[in-house]
Amino acid sequence: MTSPSPFSRRGALTPSLPRGEILGTYETYPEAQGVVDRLAKREFPVKQLAIVGNDLKTVERVTGKLTYGRAAGAGAASGAWFGLFFGIILFLFSDNPGAIAFVGAALLIGAGFGMIFGIVSYAMNRSRRDFTSTHQVIASNYQIVVDPSLALRAQELLAQPEPTE
């Protein structure tokens, strides 16, 4: 699923709810996406469709207890990626054939600083948040909304059996 870029030259869409007839309501996004895919394979103008998620909820799933070790490990990993990025940049713009050592050194330095930053950050926030988690925004159901002039055609196409290969 993509969103238009605010820097797009094609003209940004203004946020508004799509209007039209409801083609169907589905419990999961993949189900709704599958219906749109079926219509696309049958040459339906899918640009006239929209998938609308209703009753949005934020779900935070706790993935574990945060400890100094986990904070250090996460900080080292993110710092290593950052260091690797700068090491590769240095390597690419260097005339020195031995500059490959910059990549390894930058990775280690980045991991070290990331580890220190992770430990300090955890120590400062320890009393407020001692667990790790992931956030999701999910909908209770998903509706496919179609332009009213195309609703009957979409229903007819969906009523056709799937072609067997």
Side-chain angles (χ1 to χ4, degrees):
M1 187 165 76
T2 61
S3 299
S5 168
F7 306 111
S8 173
R9 293 183 185 197
R10 295 183 191 170
L13 298 173
T14 56
S16 64
L17 287 174
R19 301 200 183 272
E21 290 190 32
I22 296 172
L23 189 60
T25 302
Y26 306 90
E27 286 189 28
T28 66
Y29 181 77
E31 286 177 292
Q33 191 177 25
V35 171
V36 173
D37 284 340
R38 281 180 53 201
L39 289 169
K41 288 176 185 169
R42 293 188 169 129
E43 304 302 322
F44 184 83
V46 291
K47 196 170 184 180
Q48 303 299 318
L49 297 174
I51 299 175
V52 179
N54 296 307
D55 301 324
L56 297 179
K57 294 175 178 28
T58 300
V59 178
E60 181 176 8
R61 297 187 194 278
V62 177
T63 57
K65 181 172 175 25
L66 189 59
T67 63
Y68 279 104
R70 286 184 86 166
S78 65
W81 279 112
F82 194 65
L84 180 66
F85 171 74
F86 276 109
I88 290 173
I89 296 295
L90 285 171
F91 173 71
L92 291 175
F93 291 107
S94 175
D95 293 335
N96 183 356
I100 191 73
F102 289 152
V103 176
L107 188 138
L108 290 174
I109 292 169
F113 277 110
M115 185 184 307
I116 292 168
F117 181 76
I119 290 170
V120 170
S121 176
Y122 174 65
M124 292 175 64
N125 294 316
R126 186 160 185 238
S127 62
R128 286 182 272 170
R129 188 167 176 98
D130 277 342
F131 61 92
T132 59
S133 63
T134 61
H135 283 83
Q136 292 177 303
V137 176
I138 58 172
S140 296
N141 62 59
Y142 298 87
Q143 293 178 325
I144 298 178
V145 179
V146 62
D147 184 283
S149 64
L150 297 170
L152 185 59
R153 182 171 169 219
Q155 290 169 349
E156 288 171 354
L157 289 173
L158 290 173
Q160 294 175 3
E162 283 286 317
T164 56
E165 296 176 44

